[in-house]
Every structure is written in C-alpha cells, then in structure tokens.
Amino acid sequence: PQRPFRAVGHDRPHSRWLSYGCHTALAITVCCCALSTCGQVHAATVSWDDITGGLFSDTTNWNPMQVPLTGDDASFDLNAGPTGYTVSFDGDAVSTRLILNTDVVTFDMGGFTYTLDGVDAVNRSVTIGDVATDVAELNITNGILDSQYVVIGNALGATGTATVDVGATWMNSLDLIVGNAGDGTLNIQNGGAASNTTGTIALNSGSTGSATVDGLGSTWNSSGNLSVGGSSASAGGTGTLNVQNSGLVQVGGTLKLWNTGTVNLFVFK
C-alpha cells in the first residue's frame, strides 16, 4: 500500500528539496524568461480529415490535401469522441504549430520524431485545448515529440490533456504550461519522459492544472523553474503535482509552491 505525503503551499514560494526513494528533485533559483511578441508568418492551416486515423504522411488524410510542413499549422478538430483515433508516423515530420481543439488523438510515433518549431507565447509549438469549449486530448507513444513552447488548457473554458506514454519522449526547449487560463492535465506514465526549461502548473488565476508522474522510469525534467499554483513571480490558479510509484521529477531551478498549489509524494512503507 502507498501512503500520501502532502506538501501544501504557503503565502510565499519556497525552494525545497523533494526526495522520493533514491530519487531527488533539486531546487536552485533561476530567472524566468520574458515572452517574445515577435510573430511568424504561417503558410497554411492544414486540418486532419479522417476520423478513423491513418498515416501522418498521407496527403489524403488532410484538408487541403497536403502534409503540414514548416510554416504550417497542423490542426485536429474532429470531435472524435472518447476513444478517438490514432495517427501513425512512418518517418520524421516538421510543422510550425500543432493545435488540438475538440478531439482525442494518439500519436504512434513509430520511433520517429515530430518537430514543432513555433517559438513563443504567440506562436506556440503545441496548444492542446485552445479556445473556450475545447476539450482536447493528445496521447504520445513510441517516439519523440520535439517542441518549444507548449500550452495545455489555454483559454478560460478550454480543457486539455496530454499523456506521455510508453516509449515516448516529449522534449520542450522553452515553456511547458499545464493550465494557462483553462484546465490542463499532464500525465507521464509507463516510462514516458518529458522535459522543458520552465514548467508551470496553473499559471493564471481561475485556471486548474494537474501533473502526474507515475511509475518507475517515468520522468519530468525541468531544467529551470517549476512553479505549482502560479508563475515564478506570482500566485495563479489551482495547481497539483503528483509523484508516485517511483516516478521522478527533476528541477534544475527553483520549485515554487504557492498557496494555491499542492505537491503529493506517494511513498511506500
């Protein structure tokens, strides 16, 4: 059986060491990066058009009939229902932005890499649950999703869920925000791995963010700050970080735990 240990935030953020078994998450202070407002020109929005799934590289699965490339937005908005569909990769791919509105999509990467090169808060690499009423879910398996700036649960009323599952690595060179103004959930399980520079759970007031790292070999590495219940500078929404079953969270900067944030460490007796 497991017993939960709960760390609850206070009025000010605290840098703290988190130890789970032989795994330790470090906390050191790092400055938060300013957001760029520079824009990129997008050549096209290319929308997935086959609710049964299929190959990412097959032009007949897209509307218009072209695979989204650098400069393009890859859009998923078919409202597929709870079971969703699977998009398979038979080679590496590159687009600028990935946007999931209301849909449930599994990326079976097939050992390949999908790169998204959107670079800032305006041109986010990945948005899962973008506008109000969106309910979006992305599951990643068997390969690498390589992005830069990511938001899960963007606008107020939007809901987004991302799961990094067996054989998957999600690399983010900049920010990973779980709950911007909406509701965001990040699950890392079955040996999946995610990384970023700055991690945030429940950035803005009114948002809800939850991240769970579950199982031996499942890891979340934030090389800069990781903030729970707000940003590195101020309190925000309701944020929760769960680390369980020998999951590992590594923080190279400061772990900021606000009064609206909770960290649960589930340890064995």
Side-chain angles (χ1 to χ4, degrees):
Q2 300 181 64
R3 57 185 178 84
F5 169 79
R6 171 169 291 187
V8 179
H10 300 283
D11 291 335
R12 301 177 186 169
H14 295 272
S15 302
R16 60 181 73 212
W17 291 77
L18 290 182
S19 296
Y20 179 61
C22 60
H23 303 309
T24 302
L26 302 178
I28 338 172
T29 300
V30 167
C31 294
C32 186
C33 298
L35 300 180
S36 169
T37 57
C38 298
Q40 282 181 269
V41 176
H42 301 292
T45 295
V46 187
S47 300
W48 185 263
D49 201 32
D50 190 340
I51 203 166
T52 65
L55 279 175
F56 184 93
S57 62
D58 186 346
T59 59
T60 63
N61 290 325
W62 297 95
N63 182 20
M65 290 177 60
Q66 63 187 62
V67 175
L69 303 174
T70 297
D72 294 337
D73 296 346
S75 172
F76 292 82
D77 191 18
L78 293 182
N79 194 9
T83 57
Y85 55 89
T86 298
V87 176
S88 301
F89 289 73
D90 59 358
D92 294 339
V94 181
S95 309
T96 288
R97 300 199 301 178
L98 171 65
I99 302 170
L100 272 74
N101 294 108
T102 296
D103 221 341
V104 178
V105 184
T106 295
F107 280 175
D108 184 347
M109 309 298 297
F112 296 102
T113 299
Y114 183 25
T115 300
L116 289 308
D117 58 15
V119 295
D120 54 47
V122 176
N123 297 305
R124 297 179 291 270
S125 300
V126 179
T127 306
I128 303 170
D130 188 17
V131 300
T133 74
D134 278 354
V135 180
E137 181 178 336
L138 176 65
N139 306 299
I140 310 163
T141 64
N142 302 318
I144 298 172
L145 188 63
D146 185 1
S147 51
Q148 300 192 55
Y149 194 105
V150 173
V151 172
I152 305 169
N154 181 39
L156 181 65
T159 300
T161 301
T163 300
V164 188
D165 215 322
V166 60
T169 299
W170 192 2
M171 302 187 303
N172 301 289
S173 59
L174 296 173
D175 290 41
L176 174 56
I177 298 171
V178 184
N180 180 33
D183 299 331
T185 301
L186 172 65
N187 300 308
I188 304 170
Q189 61 191 36
N190 297 319
S195 63
N196 50 264
T197 297
T198 301
T200 306
I201 304 174
L203 175 61
N204 292 298
S205 178
S207 67
T208 301
S210 176
T212 300
V213 184
D214 182 13
L216 184 65
S218 302
T219 62
W220 185 9
N221 181 13
S222 189
S223 62
N225 292 351
L226 177 59
S227 302
V228 184
S231 69
S232 61
S234 60
T238 302
T240 304
L241 172 62
N242 302 307
V243 186
Q244 59 196 41
N245 298 320
S246 298
L248 174 63
V249 175
Q250 296 173 302
V251 182
T254 298
L255 175 62
K256 300 250 184 175
L257 181 59
W258 293 94
N259 61 334
T260 52
T262 301
V263 174
N264 296 313
L265 300 181
F266 293 91
V267 298
F268 292 103
K269 291 182 178 179

mmCIF file of all heavy atoms in Angstrom, residues 206-247:
data_model
loop_
_atom_site.group_PDB
_atom_site.id
_atom_site.type_symbol
_atom_site.label_atom_id
_atom_site.label_comp_id
_atom_site.label_asym_id
_atom_site.label_seq_id
_atom_site.Cartn_x
_atom_site.Cartn_y
_atom_site.Cartn_z
ATOM 1 N N GLY A 206 -7.860 31.355 -11.746
ATOM 2 C CA GLY A 206 -9.018 30.738 -12.369
ATOM 3 C C GLY A 206 -8.696 29.480 -13.144
ATOM 4 O O GLY A 206 -9.603 28.727 -13.510
ATOM 5 N N SER A 207 -7.419 29.242 -13.403
ATOM 6 C CA SER A 207 -7.021 28.032 -14.114
ATOM 7 C C SER A 207 -6.881 26.865 -13.141
ATOM 8 O O SER A 207 -6.764 27.047 -11.927
ATOM 9 C CB SER A 207 -5.695 28.242 -14.839
ATOM 10 O OG SER A 207 -4.635 28.416 -13.905
ATOM 11 N N THR A 208 -6.886 25.654 -13.706
ATOM 12 C CA THR A 208 -6.618 24.446 -12.944
ATOM 13 C C THR A 208 -5.581 23.633 -13.695
ATOM 14 O O THR A 208 -5.732 23.399 -14.901
ATOM 15 C CB THR A 208 -7.893 23.604 -12.756
ATOM 16 O OG1 THR A 208 -8.869 24.374 -12.074
ATOM 17 C CG2 THR A 208 -7.603 22.348 -11.951
ATOM 18 N N GLY A 209 -4.552 23.207 -13.008
ATOM 19 C CA GLY A 209 -3.524 22.398 -13.636
ATOM 20 C C GLY A 209 -3.149 21.217 -12.765
ATOM 21 O O GLY A 209 -3.057 21.343 -11.536
ATOM 22 N N SER A 210 -2.959 20.064 -13.400
ATOM 23 C CA SER A 210 -2.575 18.864 -12.672
ATOM 24 C C SER A 210 -1.544 18.104 -13.490
ATOM 25 O O SER A 210 -1.738 17.876 -14.681
ATOM 26 C CB SER A 210 -3.792 17.978 -12.414
ATOM 27 O OG SER A 210 -3.414 16.755 -11.794
ATOM 28 N N ALA A 211 -0.443 17.723 -12.850
ATOM 29 C CA ALA A 211 0.590 16.912 -13.496
ATOM 30 C C ALA A 211 0.866 15.694 -12.620
ATOM 31 O O ALA A 211 1.056 15.831 -11.401
ATOM 32 C CB ALA A 211 1.859 17.711 -13.715
ATOM 33 N N THR A 212 0.903 14.510 -13.244
ATOM 34 C CA THR A 212 1.168 13.272 -12.528
ATOM 35 C C THR A 212 2.301 12.525 -13.211
ATOM 36 O O THR A 212 2.239 12.280 -14.428
ATOM 37 C CB THR A 212 -0.092 12.379 -12.486
ATOM 38 O OG1 THR A 212 -1.143 13.084 -11.812
ATOM 39 C CG2 THR A 212 0.193 11.079 -11.753
ATOM 40 N N VAL A 213 3.316 12.188 -12.438
ATOM 41 C CA VAL A 213 4.443 11.395 -12.933
ATOM 42 C C VAL A 213 4.366 10.054 -12.219
ATOM 43 O O VAL A 213 4.575 9.971 -11.004
ATOM 44 C CB VAL A 213 5.779 12.101 -12.668
ATOM 45 C CG1 VAL A 213 6.932 11.309 -13.280
ATOM 46 C CG2 VAL A 213 5.760 13.527 -13.227
ATOM 47 N N ASP A 214 4.061 9.006 -12.977
ATOM 48 C CA ASP A 214 3.648 7.738 -12.376
ATOM 49 C C ASP A 214 4.483 6.587 -12.939
ATOM 50 O O ASP A 214 4.464 6.328 -14.142
ATOM 51 C CB ASP A 214 2.164 7.507 -12.687
ATOM 52 C CG ASP A 214 1.628 6.225 -12.055
ATOM 53 O OD1 ASP A 214 2.314 5.648 -11.188
ATOM 54 O OD2 ASP A 214 0.524 5.806 -12.444
ATOM 55 N N GLY A 215 5.197 5.906 -12.047
ATOM 56 C CA GLY A 215 5.855 4.664 -12.420
ATOM 57 C C GLY A 215 7.356 4.784 -12.604
ATOM 58 O O GLY A 215 7.883 5.817 -12.995
ATOM 59 N N LEU A 216 8.032 3.701 -12.343
ATOM 60 C CA LEU A 216 9.480 3.625 -12.493
ATOM 61 C C LEU A 216 9.866 3.932 -13.934
ATOM 62 O O LEU A 216 9.313 3.375 -14.875
ATOM 63 C CB LEU A 216 9.969 2.235 -12.100
ATOM 64 C CG LEU A 216 11.482 2.014 -12.111
ATOM 65 C CD1 LEU A 216 12.160 2.875 -11.060
ATOM 66 C CD2 LEU A 216 11.791 0.544 -11.875
ATOM 67 N N GLY A 217 10.818 4.842 -14.105
ATOM 68 C CA GLY A 217 11.274 5.232 -15.431
ATOM 69 C C GLY A 217 10.516 6.399 -16.023
ATOM 70 O O GLY A 217 10.941 6.959 -17.036
ATOM 71 N N SER A 218 9.400 6.792 -15.408
ATOM 72 C CA SER A 218 8.653 7.970 -15.861
ATOM 73 C C SER A 218 9.303 9.213 -15.265
ATOM 74 O O SER A 218 9.492 9.287 -14.048
ATOM 75 C CB SER A 218 7.191 7.884 -15.423
ATOM 76 O OG SER A 218 6.586 6.713 -15.938
ATOM 77 N N THR A 219 9.643 10.188 -16.110
ATOM 78 C CA THR A 219 10.398 11.336 -15.625
ATOM 79 C C THR A 219 9.876 12.645 -16.200
ATOM 80 O O THR A 219 9.424 12.701 -17.345
ATOM 81 C CB THR A 219 11.894 11.225 -15.990
ATOM 82 O OG1 THR A 219 12.045 11.197 -17.414
ATOM 83 C CG2 THR A 219 12.512 9.968 -15.401
ATOM 84 N N TRP A 220 9.976 13.688 -15.382
ATOM 85 C CA TRP A 220 9.736 15.061 -15.827
ATOM 86 C C TRP A 220 10.942 15.879 -15.391
ATOM 87 O O TRP A 220 11.213 16.006 -14.204
ATOM 88 C CB TRP A 220 8.453 15.618 -15.223
ATOM 89 C CG TRP A 220 8.086 16.989 -15.732
ATOM 90 C CD1 TRP A 220 8.677 17.670 -16.757
ATOM 91 C CD2 TRP A 220 7.033 17.831 -15.253
ATOM 92 N NE1 TRP A 220 8.062 18.886 -16.957
ATOM 93 C CE2 TRP A 220 7.044 19.002 -16.042
ATOM 94 C CE3 TRP A 220 6.085 17.702 -14.239
ATOM 95 C CZ2 TRP A 220 6.141 20.049 -15.845
ATOM 96 C CZ3 TRP A 220 5.185 18.743 -14.047
ATOM 97 C CH2 TRP A 220 5.213 19.894 -14.831
ATOM 98 N N ASN A 221 11.651 16.423 -16.364
ATOM 99 C CA ASN A 221 12.863 17.186 -16.096
ATOM 100 C C ASN A 221 12.641 18.638 -16.492
ATOM 101 O O ASN A 221 12.475 18.956 -17.673
ATOM 102 C CB ASN A 221 14.044 16.600 -16.875
ATOM 103 C CG ASN A 221 15.345 17.347 -16.600
ATOM 104 O OD1 ASN A 221 15.420 18.132 -15.662
ATOM 105 N ND2 ASN A 221 16.345 17.111 -17.413
ATOM 106 N N SER A 222 12.618 19.520 -15.494
ATOM 107 C CA SER A 222 12.504 20.956 -15.733
ATOM 108 C C SER A 222 13.868 21.569 -15.415
ATOM 109 O O SER A 222 14.252 21.678 -14.254
ATOM 110 C CB SER A 222 11.410 21.550 -14.834
ATOM 111 O OG SER A 222 11.138 22.881 -15.180
ATOM 112 N N SER A 223 14.600 21.956 -16.448
ATOM 113 C CA SER A 223 15.973 22.427 -16.220
ATOM 114 C C SER A 223 16.016 23.790 -15.558
ATOM 115 O O SER A 223 17.009 24.162 -14.944
ATOM 116 C CB SER A 223 16.742 22.474 -17.550
ATOM 117 O OG SER A 223 16.149 23.386 -18.452
ATOM 118 N N GLY A 224 14.931 24.569 -15.677
ATOM 119 C CA GLY A 224 14.812 25.844 -14.981
ATOM 120 C C GLY A 224 13.841 25.718 -13.823
ATOM 121 O O GLY A 224 13.855 24.745 -13.077
ATOM 122 N N ASN A 225 12.952 26.713 -13.695
ATOM 123 C CA ASN A 225 11.970 26.710 -12.613
ATOM 124 C C ASN A 225 10.809 25.761 -12.907
ATOM 125 O O ASN A 225 10.434 25.558 -14.064
ATOM 126 C CB ASN A 225 11.392 28.108 -12.411
ATOM 127 C CG ASN A 225 12.409 29.093 -11.868
ATOM 128 O OD1 ASN A 225 13.507 28.710 -11.484
ATOM 129 N ND2 ASN A 225 12.051 30.363 -11.855
ATOM 130 N N LEU A 226 10.222 25.234 -11.841
ATOM 131 C CA LEU A 226 8.938 24.538 -11.910
ATOM 132 C C LEU A 226 8.040 25.176 -10.861
ATOM 133 O O LEU A 226 8.345 25.158 -9.666
ATOM 134 C CB LEU A 226 9.093 23.046 -11.642
ATOM 135 C CG LEU A 226 7.794 22.229 -11.607
ATOM 136 C CD1 LEU A 226 7.047 22.345 -12.931
ATOM 137 C CD2 LEU A 226 8.073 20.775 -11.260
ATOM 138 N N SER A 227 6.934 25.787 -11.320
ATOM 139 C CA SER A 227 6.035 26.516 -10.424
ATOM 140 C C SER A 227 4.691 25.806 -10.356
ATOM 141 O O SER A 227 4.128 25.430 -11.386
ATOM 142 C CB SER A 227 5.839 27.950 -10.924
ATOM 143 O OG SER A 227 7.074 28.630 -11.029
ATOM 144 N N VAL A 228 4.172 25.659 -9.145
ATOM 145 C CA VAL A 228 2.905 24.964 -8.916
ATOM 146 C C VAL A 228 1.929 25.935 -8.271
ATOM 147 O O VAL A 228 2.164 26.442 -7.178
ATOM 148 C CB VAL A 228 3.097 23.731 -8.011
ATOM 149 C CG1 VAL A 228 1.788 22.969 -7.859
ATOM 150 C CG2 VAL A 228 4.188 22.817 -8.547
ATOM 151 N N GLY A 229 0.831 26.225 -8.979
ATOM 152 C CA GLY A 229 -0.150 27.173 -8.462
ATOM 153 C C GLY A 229 0.175 28.608 -8.794
ATOM 154 O O GLY A 229 -0.232 29.519 -8.067
ATOM 155 N N GLY A 230 0.852 28.849 -9.901
ATOM 156 C CA GLY A 230 1.205 30.202 -10.310
ATOM 157 C C GLY A 230 2.456 30.202 -11.153
ATOM 158 O O GLY A 230 2.942 29.148 -11.578
ATOM 159 N N SER A 231 2.984 31.385 -11.397
ATOM 160 C CA SER A 231 4.217 31.534 -12.173
ATOM 161 C C SER A 231 5.397 31.595 -11.227
ATOM 162 O O SER A 231 5.261 31.460 -10.006
ATOM 163 C CB SER A 231 4.151 32.809 -13.013
ATOM 164 O OG SER A 231 4.209 33.953 -12.173
ATOM 165 N N SER A 232 6.573 31.876 -11.761
ATOM 166 C CA SER A 232 7.734 32.048 -10.893
ATOM 167 C C SER A 232 7.654 33.346 -10.108
ATOM 168 O O SER A 232 8.386 33.539 -9.131
ATOM 169 C CB SER A 232 9.016 32.028 -11.726
ATOM 170 O OG SER A 232 9.017 33.091 -12.655
ATOM 171 N N ALA A 233 6.725 34.253 -10.506
ATOM 172 C CA ALA A 233 6.655 35.565 -9.869
ATOM 173 C C ALA A 233 5.413 35.774 -9.013
ATOM 174 O O ALA A 233 5.448 36.570 -8.069
ATOM 175 C CB ALA A 233 6.718 36.658 -10.937
ATOM 176 N N SER A 234 4.314 35.083 -9.315
ATOM 177 C CA SER A 234 3.081 35.362 -8.584
ATOM 178 C C SER A 234 2.165 34.148 -8.564
ATOM 179 O O SER A 234 2.248 33.272 -9.429
ATOM 180 C CB SER A 234 2.341 36.547 -9.217
ATOM 181 O OG SER A 234 2.006 36.260 -10.552
ATOM 182 N N ALA A 235 1.265 34.138 -7.569
ATOM 183 C CA ALA A 235 0.299 33.049 -7.450
ATOM 184 C C ALA A 235 -0.692 33.099 -8.598
ATOM 185 O O ALA A 235 -0.958 34.155 -9.180
ATOM 186 C CB ALA A 235 -0.430 33.143 -6.113
ATOM 187 N N GLY A 236 -1.250 31.923 -8.940
ATOM 188 C CA GLY A 236 -2.193 31.839 -10.053
ATOM 189 C C GLY A 236 -3.388 30.990 -9.711
ATOM 190 O O GLY A 236 -4.124 31.276 -8.769
ATOM 191 N N GLY A 237 -3.579 29.905 -10.460
ATOM 192 C CA GLY A 237 -4.725 29.036 -10.262
ATOM 193 C C GLY A 237 -4.433 27.899 -9.292
ATOM 194 O O GLY A 237 -3.476 27.952 -8.498
ATOM 195 N N THR A 238 -5.240 26.865 -9.383
ATOM 196 C CA THR A 238 -5.120 25.707 -8.502
ATOM 197 C C THR A 238 -4.266 24.651 -9.188
ATOM 198 O O THR A 238 -4.674 24.064 -10.192
ATOM 199 C CB THR A 238 -6.510 25.129 -8.180
ATOM 200 O OG1 THR A 238 -7.316 26.148 -7.582
ATOM 201 C CG2 THR A 238 -6.387 23.950 -7.228
ATOM 202 N N GLY A 239 -3.079 24.420 -8.653
ATOM 203 C CA GLY A 239 -2.134 23.502 -9.273
ATOM 204 C C GLY A 239 -1.795 22.329 -8.378
ATOM 205 O O GLY A 239 -1.659 22.486 -7.155
ATOM 206 N N THR A 240 -1.640 21.154 -8.997
ATOM 207 C CA THR A 240 -1.302 19.948 -8.250
ATOM 208 C C THR A 240 -0.237 19.168 -8.997
ATOM 209 O O THR A 240 -0.353 18.950 -10.209
ATOM 210 C CB THR A 240 -2.535 19.042 -8.062
ATOM 211 O OG1 THR A 240 -3.584 19.784 -7.432
ATOM 212 C CG2 THR A 240 -2.201 17.834 -7.209
ATOM 213 N N LEU A 241 0.788 18.743 -8.282
ATOM 214 C CA LEU A 241 1.827 17.859 -8.816
ATOM 215 C C LEU A 241 1.815 16.575 -8.014
ATOM 216 O O LEU A 241 1.977 16.590 -6.791
ATOM 217 C CB LEU A 241 3.200 18.529 -8.720
ATOM 218 C CG LEU A 241 4.413 17.658 -9.068
ATOM 219 C CD1 LEU A 241 4.348 17.174 -10.518
ATOM 220 C CD2 LEU A 241 5.719 18.417 -8.807
ATOM 221 N N ASN A 242 1.607 15.444 -8.694
ATOM 222 C CA ASN A 242 1.624 14.126 -8.065
ATOM 223 C C ASN A 242 2.829 13.344 -8.571
ATOM 224 O O ASN A 242 3.044 13.242 -9.783
ATOM 225 C CB ASN A 242 0.356 13.352 -8.409
ATOM 226 C CG ASN A 242 -0.914 14.068 -7.985
ATOM 227 O OD1 ASN A 242 -1.062 14.452 -6.825
ATOM 228 N ND2 ASN A 242 -1.830 14.269 -8.921
ATOM 229 N N VAL A 243 3.588 12.786 -7.645
ATOM 230 C CA VAL A 243 4.730 11.933 -7.986
ATOM 231 C C VAL A 243 4.523 10.604 -7.271
ATOM 232 O O VAL A 243 4.459 10.571 -6.039
ATOM 233 C CB VAL A 243 6.068 12.579 -7.566
ATOM 234 C CG1 VAL A 243 7.241 11.742 -8.073
ATOM 235 C CG2 VAL A 243 6.169 14.007 -8.084
ATOM 236 N N GLN A 244 4.431 9.514 -8.036
ATOM 237 C CA GLN A 244 4.029 8.252 -7.416
ATOM 238 C C GLN A 244 4.672 7.057 -8.118
ATOM 239 O O GLN A 244 5.115 7.150 -9.262
ATOM 240 C CB GLN A 244 2.506 8.123 -7.437
ATOM 241 C CG GLN A 244 1.891 8.154 -8.817
ATOM 242 C CD GLN A 244 0.388 8.401 -8.787
ATOM 243 O OE1 GLN A 244 -0.102 9.230 -8.019
ATOM 244 N NE2 GLN A 244 -0.351 7.673 -9.613
ATOM 245 N N ASN A 245 4.717 5.939 -7.377
ATOM 246 C CA ASN A 245 5.201 4.659 -7.912
ATOM 247 C C ASN A 245 6.588 4.777 -8.532
ATOM 248 O O ASN A 245 6.846 4.266 -9.622
ATOM 249 C CB ASN A 245 4.206 4.095 -8.930
ATOM 250 C CG ASN A 245 2.856 3.790 -8.319
ATOM 251 O OD1 ASN A 245 2.771 3.285 -7.206
ATOM 252 N ND2 ASN A 245 1.795 4.126 -9.036
ATOM 253 N N SER A 246 7.486 5.472 -7.846
ATOM 254 C CA SER A 246 8.883 5.654 -8.270
ATOM 255 C C SER A 246 9.037 6.568 -9.477
ATOM 256 O O SER A 246 10.080 6.556 -10.136
ATOM 257 C CB SER A 246 9.566 4.308 -8.555
ATOM 258 O OG SER A 246 9.612 3.510 -7.394
ATOM 259 N N GLY A 247 8.030 7.367 -9.792
ATOM 260 C CA GLY A 247 8.204 8.418 -10.787
ATOM 261 C C GLY A 247 9.220 9.438 -10.296
ATOM 262 O O GLY A 247 9.474 9.563 -9.097
#
